Structures are given as structure tokens and as C-alpha cells.
Amino acid sequence: QVQLVESGGGVVQPGRSLRLSCAASGFTLSTYAIHWVRQAPGKGLEWVAVIWYDGSNKNYADSVKGRFSISRDNSRNIVNLQMSSLRDEDTAVYYCAKDMRFSSSFMDVWGQGTAVSVSS
Amino acid sequence: EIVLTQSPATLSLSPGERATLSCRASQSISTSLAWYQKKPGQAPRLLIHDASNRATGIPARFSGSGSGTDFTLTISSLEPEDFAVYYCQQRPNWVGTFGQGTKVEIK
């Protein structure tokens, strides 16, 4: 079945880096855009980044621009989120989500999430 | 930047009642809006896309309407499993944003 599985979360000190991965199965990854969305403890959903089906377009929330980088390897069915200069406020559960389309629109399949805690 | 404002923040209702949730955009977004359901410990679930289209497998009691700046999610008769937080999301001009959410709680 269509599935996304995130990995790479954990506890990291402020200022350090972490890479999250999203492994796709059950569908042709190269056909769809992929998003990262996060939810901080007790807060709402926050969209983080998107990468188009072929990697030609990437966009980021202002809160992570210049610190996070999204990439994809369609041959390996993986999308990564490289997070640098991490801050306390980046603490959240991070979800990857498949877009309904090749470009950026709405998210119809979600992973179970991976938790990131930024703490000294 | 387009801001989505949801109201009310909390809706207290009983099973079987009708729920009406609102999402207002700070400028026109045509019908480029989705609704998601979020329960604690679970991933979000797409309910409605393009303002009024039910996603695959979503029960008919969920419906969406609106265009331009004003949108509504209606749950015609609340089931016990519908008590959750609901978010609207605009289809981005490259960048996506969510509303702050409406919690539907049991009265």
C-alpha cells in the first residue's frame, strides 16, 4: 500500500544539524511533490518545505529558510530534510507527506512522524 | 503572505449534532483550500481538497464549501471518532500555510 516512513529524529543540541529521511513505497515517488510539515508540542500544524516531483522547485517556510534544505532521490524513493543551525523552536514532530500532484498543492498521504528535540 | 484564520477556536458539541467550521483567507485564494483532521498521536488526514472535493475514503457526512476568502467545513452528524482538531490549508503559491485549527470537543 501507499506508505511514507520517516526516520532520523532524535535529541540534538542547539546549533547542531540533523537529517531526516522519508522513505516512500507503494507509489511512483517521481510523480509527486513531497512536503515536510511539523507540529511543535501543544501547537498547530506548520508547513515547513516542499520539493516538486523532479526536484526542480523547492520552497521553505520563512522560519526555516536558509537553515533547512530539502532534497530527493527518486531512484532510491527517498526525500531528505537537512536541518542546520537548529533552535529550541524547531522541536517538533516532523511529518513527510505526499502531494496529490506533481507540484505543490494538498497532502493526501502522510507518514507517522519522527520526533526532533532540540535541547542543551 | 496569505493568512488563514479559523473560527471558532473550540466547538463543543454532542454526538449526532452538526458541526460548522469556518476558515477565512486574508485575500482571495479561489478554491485552493483543503481541510485536515488531526488526532493526538496520529498523522493528519486529508478530508477535503480544492474547497469541496472529498478525499478518497472520507465519509459523506464531511462536506466543504466556499470560494474566494470564506470557506466552511461541515460535519452533518458528529460521530464519536470525529472529535479532533481540524485545520484548513491553502494551496500555496509555492508556499503552504495552515490555519491555527479548530478543536471539536465533546460537550
Side-chain angles (χ1 to χ4, degrees), chain B:
Chain B
E1 178 189 345
I2 298 174
V3 177
L4 298 177
T5 302
Q6 292 187 239
S7 62
T10 303
L11 202 51
S12 298
L13 295 168
S14 300
E17 289 193 295
R18 183 184 188 89
T20 303
L21 288 67
S22 174
C23 178
R24 177 164 289 178
S26 58
Q27 62 190 79
S28 178
I29 56 172
S30 185
T31 57
S32 297
L33 189 98
W35 291 94
Y36 300 85
Q37 179 191 68
K38 179 70 169 70
K39 296 179 181 179
Q42 296 185 18
R45 176 191 182 196
L46 177 66
L47 300 174
I48 301 289
H49 63 88
D50 298 289
S52 60
N53 296 293
R54 265 191 306 277
T56 302
I58 301 303
R61 64 181 181 272
F62 291 93
S63 63
S65 63
S67 66
T69 60
D70 291 301
F71 301 86
T72 301
L73 174 69
T74 301
I75 310 172
S76 59
S77 178
L78 283 164
E79 296 288 339
E81 62 267 27
D82 298 337
F83 291 93
V85 181
Y86 292 83
Y87 295 90
C88 57
Q89 179 231 340
Q90 59 146 342
R91 176 179 181 172
N93 289 330
W94 316 108
V95 176
T97 55
F98 289 92
Q100 81 278 19
T102 290
K103 182 179 183 180
V104 178
E105 65 176 22
I106 299 176
K107 186 174 181 181

Side-chain angles (χ1 to χ4, degrees), chain A residues 35 37 39 43-48 50 52 57-62 65 95 100-101 103-113, chain B residues 1 31-34 36 38-39 41-46 48-51 55 87 89-100:
Chain A
H35 301 255
V37 174
Q39 185 173 34
K43 303 294 185 182
L45 298 176
E46 180 186 15
W47 176 84
V48 174
V50 64
W52 279 31
N57 282 284
K58 306 173 186 179
N59 278 286
Y60 303 91
D62 287 345
K65 200 171 292 183
Y95 298 96
M100 296 177 61
R101 302 176 173 103
S103 61
S104 184
S105 65
F106 308 120
M107 294 158 262
D108 62 349
V109 178
W110 295 68
Q112 82 289 351
Chain B
E1 178 189 345
T31 57
S32 297
L33 189 98
Y36 300 85
K38 179 70 169 70
K39 296 179 181 179
Q42 296 185 18
R45 176 191 182 196
L46 177 66
I48 301 289
H49 63 88
D50 298 289
Y87 295 90
Q89 179 231 340
Q90 59 146 342
R91 176 179 181 172
N93 289 330
W94 316 108
V95 176
T97 55
F98 289 92
Q100 81 278 19

